[in-house]
Amino acid sequence: MCGIVGYIGKRPAIPVLLDGLKKLEYRGYDSAGVAVLEQDAITTCKAVGKLAVLEEKLGTDFSQTCIGIGHTRWATHGRPSDLNAHPHLDTEAKFAVVHNGIIENYIELKEWLVEQGHTFVSETDTEVLPHLVEYFYKGDLVATVREVLNKLKGSFAILVMSRQDPDILVAARKDSPMVVGLGEEEFFVASDIPAILNYTRKTYIIEDGEMVILTKNGVEVTDFEGKEKEKQLYEVKWDAVAAEKAGYDHFMLKEIYEQPRALRDTLISRLEDDKVVLNEVDLTAEQLRSFRKVFIVACGTAWHAGLVGKTLIERWVRLPVEVDIASEFRYRSPLVDEHTLVVVISQSGETADTLAALREAKRNGARIVAITNVVGSSVAREAHDVIYTWAGPEIAVASTKAYTTQLEGVVLLGLYLAQTRGTLATEKIRKIITALRRLPAQAQEILDESEHIKDLAQSFVEVEDAFFIGRCLDWNVAMEGALKLKEISYIHAEAYAAGELKHGTLALITDKTPVIALATQMDVYEKTLSNIIEVRARDARVIGITFKSNKDLDKSVDRVIYLPETIGELAPILTVIPMQLLAYYVSVARGCDVDKPRNLAKSVTVE
């Protein structure tokens, strides 16, 4: 979603702001803007489109002032436009504000401000903020922002700059992520760590309900009531180069090829001999045995990982599992209590709907285990236990390595529950762990043999519709394959349980419709094959995905993508990789923006 960057220090602010905003492009955006303070005046520059458009408007002869704020916007209230882009100003341009989140009571606030004589120029909820600051300002910016915060309902990370107080920035957070960077006589505030890594590795992770006062002399953190908070310094260890393309044409391709490493890292220290060891899950054996039901709650790609988790946990642990889309979970009065284990999955750890579901489940007494990729994220902090997926920074909007490591996360959790509750034979656990250890090398094998997928992608350039089919776990991962294709190539793609084809879907099959058929679940292979033959009878072009040992499928499809052999329960981790590559190469062939597809955002931090 939106990205925020602020700077106060000793170097020109605009290059710092632009550099930080570029590092936040992964969050998705449709417009961008900056504001700087110079000679007792606030100067803004805003533009619809990519940051390159903003840079062109700014030119090279920009202000050398050393204080400023910047923003990338993903539209929620009002269409993408220069007027709706941030930063927003008050009537007299005394105050500038950037904001991530949603002000739920903005209509009420806006109507009241209009009655007080304030004039609005945008369609956004954000614009009420500088007007509120203007209305309540009595000479103390910090006190004013604190008063404004008490008027707001919703989620927000805000950053305020004032020409009345030229040596200070004030920031605050409620539900939306924020980090502060500590330099030498210079300080930074941003939505995420990559925005400031070129300048400092020393950071404060700002918590909900905290305000930050930044000057050239230092940083003070308080709660919304003004009580000073003691912050723990977090020093970033990972390299900024990890967020660069490293020679690949796109971040997405780089991240696809990073999957063998990510899969290997996620297993490190979690497999000992023939056991799963999850030291980060602080549950006694008695507690683990007390659970009567499991919920898995997530959004988008993470939800697809949860669907796989449902099958594995039910099969291995013999507990009923419900998988919920997070945005629906808390509105249906779910039957959650102290005997319920709720697993929340989120790459960023900041997904608004997933956080809301987590909090609802927690209020009802459930035990929360989070599977997330971001250390110190909101999900990680609020869950009782966290299984980190060591995928590393994922920049492309379309998730790849985060998904496969999430699958590993649910596998590890499922095995851990099974071995603790005694629901899976020791020999079966040993077999799965042996197969798990092979996955990183097998993922590399798929990548090394992927040139034919690039050729296959050319046949999709003029395609308007595509279908993915499979049974059981193959159907679950088919959903992720369809999502990848539609979100980055803009081809309409749908996934269906293969047995449901007769119930309407066959009416859509023509000779112009490619069908990707997944056939790795050998216990239902014959039934899947019957469904493949059904779509072939309607002249569909069928691309099959199966194991190298299964040469039988070649007789019933037009093309086959072969996978290294693994057990059926782990097949989704390998099956998705050729579908990721297919989506990537189709997107490139169609001339789409692979890393930043239209209308989408990496981290969805509003409902």
Side-chain angles (χ1 to χ4, degrees):
M1 306 301 282
C2 306
I4 289 173
V5 179
Y7 175 77
I8 183 168
K10 56 191 177 183
R11 65 180 93 202
I14 287 179
V16 177
L17 299 176
L18 291 174
D19 180 62
L21 292 175
K22 287 176 184 176
K23 297 300 189 297
L24 297 178
E25 285 189 297
Y26 72 90
R27 297 170 68 86
Y29 67 104
D30 49 53
S31 58
V34 295
V36 293
L37 185 59
E38 54 181 343
Q39 298 178 349
D40 298 324
I42 294 175
T43 303
T44 63
C45 184
K46 306 193 284 187
V48 172
K50 302 300 183 186
L51 280 167
V53 181
L54 178 65
E55 288 183 289
E56 187 176 349
K57 287 182 76 170
L58 284 165
T60 56
D61 187 25
F62 46 71
S63 166
Q64 298 299 299
T65 184
C66 300
I67 180 172
I69 59 178
H71 189 269
T72 49
R73 176 180 186 254
W74 190 79
T76 57
H77 293 72
R79 60 190 174 83
S81 69
D82 287 0
L83 279 177
N84 287 333
H86 300 211
H88 287 289
L89 306 177
D90 65 296
T91 306
E92 298 183 16
K94 293 179 180 178
F95 308 98
V97 177
V98 291
H99 162 235
N100 180 16
I102 291 178
I103 307 301
E104 294 177 359
N105 60 333
Y106 87 98
I107 294 177
E108 170 191 334
L109 292 169
K110 186 174 182 178
E111 289 174 349
W112 175 75
L113 285 162
V114 168
E115 290 175 3
Q116 311 309 311
H118 290 252
T119 302
F120 288 78
V121 297
S122 79
E123 305 165 277
T124 68
D125 56 334
T126 301
E127 197 183 356
V128 300
L129 297 174
H131 286 274
L132 286 169
V133 174
E134 178 188 18
Y135 180 85
F136 288 110
Y137 185 77
K138 295 180 178 65
D140 184 337
L141 183 62
V142 175
T144 302
V145 172
R146 191 169 291 129
E147 187 166 2
V148 168
L149 294 174
N150 289 325
K151 307 293 181 186
L152 305 180
K153 296 178 182 177
S155 61
F156 51 81
I158 65 172
L159 181 57
V160 184
M161 183 173 67
S162 167
R163 79 178 195 211
Q164 309 294 101
D165 304 76
D167 299 314
I168 186 173
L169 294 175
V170 180
R173 173 202 166 147
K174 180 180 179 290
D175 296 332
S176 293
M178 180 178 286
V179 60
V180 167
L182 313 173
E184 296 292 332
E185 298 180 21
E186 59 180 355
F187 300 93
F188 311 80
V189 61
S191 298
D192 203 356
I193 288 171
I196 61 177
L197 266 189
N198 281 347
Y199 309 98
T200 184
R201 294 180 173 277
K202 296 177 179 178
T203 67
Y204 290 153
I205 306 299
I206 304 306
E207 307 282 350
D208 277 352
E210 291 184 343
M211 273 183 64
V212 186
I213 301 97
L214 303 96
T215 70
K216 293 179 181 178
N217 299 318
V219 171
E220 181 186 357
V221 182
T222 74
D223 63 18
F224 285 0
E225 303 305 316
K227 183 180 178 181
E228 189 169 351
K229 301 290 289 288
E230 187 173 331
K231 298 296 292 182
Q232 182 176 353
L233 184 70
Y234 173 59
E235 190 154 357
V236 182
K237 301 296 185 183
W238 41 275
D239 197 331
V241 175
E244 300 299 332
K245 293 180 186 174
Y248 290 92
D249 290 339
H250 298 91
F251 282 114
M252 183 179 178
L253 186 61
K254 170 180 175 280
E255 289 155 12
I256 289 172
Y257 273 82
E258 287 174 338
Q259 286 176 114
R261 189 273 310 158
L263 291 168
R264 189 174 300 110
D265 288 354
T266 299
L267 293 178
I268 287 174
S269 78
R270 289 167 171 164
L271 300 179
E272 290 184 6
D273 299 324
D274 297 324
K275 289 186 67 177
V276 173
V277 178
L278 294 180
N279 292 322
E280 55 267 64
V281 177
D282 186 22
L283 281 165
T284 66
E286 185 179 353
Q287 286 175 305
L288 287 168
R289 293 189 187 100
S290 71
F291 296 130
R292 297 172 186 162
K293 188 174 186 179
V294 178
F295 278 90
I296 301 178
V297 183
C299 300
T301 284
W303 181 67
H304 295 155
L307 293 171
V308 173
K310 170 184 169 67
T311 296
L312 299 184
I313 293 173
E314 288 187 339
R315 186 177 295 181
W316 294 343
V317 189
R318 309 311 298 164
L319 276 176
V321 180
E322 288 193 42
V323 184
D324 258 313
I325 296 172
S327 58
E328 295 293 323
F329 176 78
R330 62 190 171 126
Y331 297 114
R332 67 176 188 86
S333 301
L335 300 176
V336 172
D337 60 22
E338 67 274 14
H339 297 294
T340 307
L341 176 65
V342 174
V343 181
V344 297
I345 309 176
S346 169
Q347 186 282 137
S348 68
E350 302 293 347
T351 311
D353 288 313
T354 304
L355 267 171
L358 181 161
R359 290 163 182 164
E360 176 69 14
K362 209 172 179 182
R363 275 194 295 271
N364 284 282
R367 182 76 180 201
I368 313 296
V369 174
I371 298 176
T372 185
N373 190 41
V374 180
V375 176
S377 62
S378 296
V379 161
R381 292 196 307 275
E382 296 190 31
H384 297 109
D385 311 282
V386 185
I387 300 171
Y388 285 112
T389 59
W390 302 115
E394 191 175 65
I395 306 302
V397 167
S399 182
T400 51
K401 61 179 180 174
Y403 173 71
T404 48
T405 53
Q406 285 166 356
L407 291 177
E408 263 193 341
V410 297
V411 167
L412 290 168
L413 179 60
L415 286 175
Y416 181 72
L417 291 171
Q419 72 187 21
T420 304
R421 292 170 64 98
T423 53
L424 203 58
T426 303
E427 183 55 37
K428 176 66 172 177
I429 293 174
R430 182 182 297 116
K431 181 180 178 182
I432 297 169
I433 288 176
T434 299
L436 260 177
R437 296 184 195 275
R438 293 179 182 146
L439 286 178
Q442 291 176 319
Q444 188 62 56
E445 184 180 336
I446 294 169
L447 295 169
D448 292 342
E449 299 173 359
S450 64
E451 192 63 30
H452 65 290
I453 299 175
K454 187 175 182 180
D455 296 334
L456 176 63
Q458 294 299 317
S459 66
F460 279 71
V461 172
E462 302 299 326
V463 165
E464 294 182 1
D465 303 282
F467 293 98
F468 291 70
I469 62 171
R471 284 176 176 263
C472 300
L473 288 171
D474 278 338
W475 174 41
N476 299 154
V477 76
M479 293 184 188
E480 177 63 12
L483 177 62
K484 287 283 104 44
L485 186 63
K486 75 176 80 173
E487 68 183 341
I488 64 169
S489 75
Y490 313 144
I491 291 172
H492 169 245
E494 297 293 342
Y496 290 94
E500 288 294 294
L501 287 169
K502 300 183 195 69
H503 301 284
T505 310
L506 278 175
L508 300 174
I509 301 294
T510 72
D511 59 356
K512 295 181 174 59
T513 312
V515 175
I516 294 86
L518 283 59
T520 70
Q521 302 302 301
M522 303 315 291
D523 56 331
V524 290
Y525 174 73
E526 296 298 333
K527 294 185 180 297
T528 302
L529 189 60
S530 296
N531 302 134
I532 291 171
I533 292 168
E534 285 177 336
V535 296
R536 281 291 297 277
R538 274 75 181 176
D539 298 322
R541 177 164 56 98
V542 181
I543 298 97
I545 301 179
T546 193
F547 297 124
K548 290 181 177 180
S549 60
N550 180 20
K551 300 302 180 183
D552 177 67
L553 186 61
D554 187 54
K555 303 170 188 175
S556 303
V557 300
D558 297 281
R559 294 276 294 269
V560 183
I561 298 172
Y562 287 110
L563 306 172
E565 201 80 22
T566 191
I567 62 174
E569 290 100 328
L570 302 184
I573 297 173
L574 299 179
T575 308
V576 76
I577 296 174
M579 292 192 289
Q580 293 168 347
L581 287 165
L582 178 63
Y584 170 79
Y585 286 122
V586 171
S587 178
V588 171
R590 287 166 64 95
C592 301
D593 190 338
V594 174
D595 287 334
K596 298 185 284 293
R598 67 191 182 204
N599 302 333
L600 299 181
K602 182 65 177 174
S603 179
V604 184
T605 56
V606 295
E607 291 188 58

